[in-house]
Amino acid sequence: MALQFELVTPEKLVRSDEAHMVVVPGVEGDFGVMEGHAPFMTTLKDGAIEIYASAGSEPERIAVSGGFAEVGDKGLTILAESIEG
Amino acid sequence: MASLKDLKLRINSVKSTQKITKAMKMVAAAKLRRATERAEAGRPYATRLQSVVSSLASRITVGPQSPKLIAGTGKDETHLIIVATADKGLAGAFSGNIVKAARAKAEELIADGREVYFYVVGRKSRPILNRFFPGKIIGQHDTSAIKNPAYSDAQAIADDIIDRFESGRFDVAHLAYAEFKSTLSQVPQVDQLIPVVPAEADEGKGASAAVEYEPGEEEILADLLPKNVAIQIYRAMLENQAGFYGSQMTAMDNATRNAGDMINKLSIRYNRQRQAAITTELVEIISGAEAL
C-alpha cells in the first residue's frame, strides 16, 4: 500500500521515500498520486507538494518551483528545478 | 663524471620540482573534494531524468510528428562524437583515456561504413583527434576560461549541438567522458545522447499502458528533450571535473614520490664523491708529510 516517490533537483536527491499519497501541483491542477496510479506525465507549476506518510496523517509540505513529474511502474518521480527550505 | 657542484645543482633543481608537484597535489586534493561533492550531488537528477526520458521513448509511438530528438532522423549514417576532456594536462592519462575510448568508438563506426565527426569540449583532445582524424572536428567549445562548469555552459553546448542536429548535420550523437568512480579510477564512457535510447520494456506490462500528458505530449517533449541533452552534458562536465582533479592528485603524488627517490639517489652519489675527494686530499697531505 505504499507509493515509491522520489524528489530530485539538479543540486541533489532531496527525498527517496515511501508514502501513502503525494499531492503534486500539476500545471493543469493539483493531483494526488497513490500506489498503482496510471502512467502520467506533467509539468509542474510553482507550489507545494504534500506528502501523506499514511492515510489521514498530517501532510508534510515541500515548496517546489518548475520541473516535471512522472508516474510510472516504479512510482512517482518529481524532477523539480528548485525547492525551498 | 659530474662534478660536485653539478650534482648539488641537480639536487636543488629536483628539490624545487618536488616542491611544485607537492603544492599541485595539495591544490588538486582541495579542489577534488568540492568537485566530487558537485559531481555526486548532480548524479541523481541526471540519472532520473535519463530514465524518465528513456522510459518515455520506449512507450511513445514514433510517427512523423514525433520530435526528432526522440525518434532520430530515420538514418544512421553520420555520427557525431562529443568528446569532453580536461583543458589542462599534468593529470596522468586522464584526457588520453577519454580520447582513446572515443577513438575506439569512431573506428568501430567507420569500419561499419559510417561517417564520423567530432565536437570537442575541452582543449586536450583536439591535437590527438586532429592527428588521427584530420578535418573531422566540426565544432568546439572552449572551456579553458571556466573554473567550475555551470549549467549555463552545458546549456550553450547543448543548444549548439541541437542546432546542428536540427539542420541535419548528423544523425546520431555520442558523448564521451570519464565517469568518476574514485580518486584512483575514472572510467571512460561513450554514451549515446541523440536520439534517446529507449529503456528495455518490462516483459508483458508497462509497455502497452498509454501515458497521459498534461498539458500535451508535444509541449512536454519539446521542453524535456533539449533539457535532457543539456543535463547529460552538464553531468559529463561535472564528472570530468572531479575525475580530472582525482587524476591530477594521483599523478602529482607519483611525481612527488619519484622526485624524492631521485633526490635520495643523487644525495648518495654526492656524498660518495665528497668523501672520495676528502680521501684523496688526505692521502696527498699524508704522503707529502711523509716525504719530508
Side-chain angles (χ1 to χ4, degrees):
Chain A
M1 257 297 281
L3 167 79
Q4 273 294 334
F5 95 99
E6 282 178 337
L7 173 61
V8 269
T9 66
E11 281 80 42
K12 63 175 188 192
L13 175 63
V14 184
R15 288 282 289 271
S16 175
D17 222 341
E18 286 189 348
H20 173 68
M21 179 171 84
V22 179
V23 176
V24 185
V27 73
E28 293 184 352
D30 291 9
F31 61 96
V33 183
M34 295 174 81
E35 202 205 0
H37 195 289
F40 185 62
M41 171 97 211
T42 181
T43 44
L44 299 181
K45 65 168 192 250
D46 298 357
I49 60 170
E50 293 174 356
I51 304 156
Y52 293 83
S54 60
S57 67
E58 274 298 300
E60 179 191 345
R61 300 171 136 266
I62 301 176
V64 296
S65 64
F68 303 91
E70 195 230 10
V71 185
D73 308 333
K74 284 178 225 127
L76 169 69
T77 310
I78 300 170
L79 299 163
E81 309 250 297
S82 63
I83 62 157
E84 277 152 46
Chain B
M1 199 200 266
S3 75
L4 278 181
K5 199 184 167 207
D6 288 341
L7 275 176
K8 191 80 206 163
L9 282 176
R10 269 191 76 188
I11 291 175
N12 282 337
S13 106
V14 176
K15 265 186 188 157
S16 54
T17 309
Q18 189 188 30
K19 264 184 208 152
I20 294 169
T21 55
K22 207 177 203 169
M24 281 184 79
K25 181 196 154 189
M26 288 197 299
V27 171
K31 287 185 175 167
L32 169 69
R33 204 175 324 131
R34 291 188 46 206
T36 315
E37 276 166 21
R38 282 170 51 117
E40 279 173 356
R43 243 178 235 169
Y45 190 83
T47 48
R48 295 306 184 295
L49 187 60
Q50 178 80 67
S51 69
V52 165
V53 170
S54 57
S55 83
L56 274 179
S58 71
R59 276 181 301 213
I60 202 166
T61 40
V62 174
Q65 296 301 313
S66 310
K68 276 189 186 169
L69 282 173
I70 211 163
T73 53
K75 285 182 295 184
D76 182 27
E77 276 155 25
T78 318
H79 288 242
L80 179 76
I81 302 182
I82 303 156
V83 186
T85 58
D87 281 302
K88 290 178 223 148
L90 291 177
F94 175 73
S95 293
N97 283 340
I98 300 174
V99 176
K100 211 187 271 172
R103 260 182 59 203
K105 182 81 188 167
E107 268 153 18
E108 190 186 306
L109 289 167
I110 289 171
D112 285 346
R114 306 286 187 339
E115 188 96 31
V116 177
Y117 291 101
F118 294 94
Y119 187 94
V120 182
V121 179
R123 287 207 338 239
K124 274 286 151 186
S125 61
R126 197 180 169 85
I128 315 176
L129 289 174
N130 237 339
R131 194 161 69 239
F132 284 96
F133 307 100
K136 296 291 189 189
I137 299 176
I138 56 167
Q140 68 169 333
H141 189 86
D142 190 11
T143 52
S144 54
I146 302 168
K147 257 190 183 161
N148 291 310
Y151 179 66
S152 54
D153 299 315
Q155 183 86 57
I157 298 170
D159 287 347
D160 194 6
I161 303 269
I162 291 170
D163 268 357
R164 287 162 196 267
F165 180 69
E166 297 288 350
S167 59
R169 304 278 287 279
F170 62 91
D171 303 317
V172 183
H174 306 270
L175 177 62
Y177 66 101
E179 190 187 340
F180 178 80
K181 291 256 192 231
S182 71
T183 313
L184 290 173
S185 147
Q186 298 88 33
V187 186
Q189 297 267 343
V190 184
D191 295 341
Q192 184 172 323
L193 191 63
I194 304 170
V196 177
V197 186
E200 304 277 320
D202 299 343
E203 291 102 49
K205 64 159 193 168
S208 57
V211 186
E212 269 184 69
Y213 296 92
E214 269 179 25
E217 186 177 310
E218 257 171 58
E219 288 91 333
I220 286 194
L221 288 178
D223 204 6
L224 192 63
L225 295 173
K227 197 184 172 106
N228 183 43
V229 173
I231 286 281
Q232 297 309 326
I233 292 174
Y234 182 50
R235 177 193 174 195
M237 288 169 86
L238 288 181
E239 297 263 346
N240 265 354
Q241 180 88 350
F244 170 75
Y245 285 125
S247 189
Q248 182 169 59
M249 198 179 105
T250 324
M252 288 300 118
D253 188 41
N254 282 338
T256 308
R257 220 171 299 141
N258 286 344
D261 288 351
M262 202 158 162
I263 289 170
N264 277 344
K265 267 187 212 148
L266 287 172
S267 302
I268 287 171
R269 252 175 79 189
Y270 175 80
N271 287 335
R272 286 233 174 96
Q273 267 193 41
R274 196 175 65 97
Q275 280 165 358
I278 290 169
T279 315
T280 333
E281 225 169 281
L282 275 177
V283 169
E284 273 166 15
I285 292 167
I286 290 165
S287 54
E290 271 175 1
L292 282 176

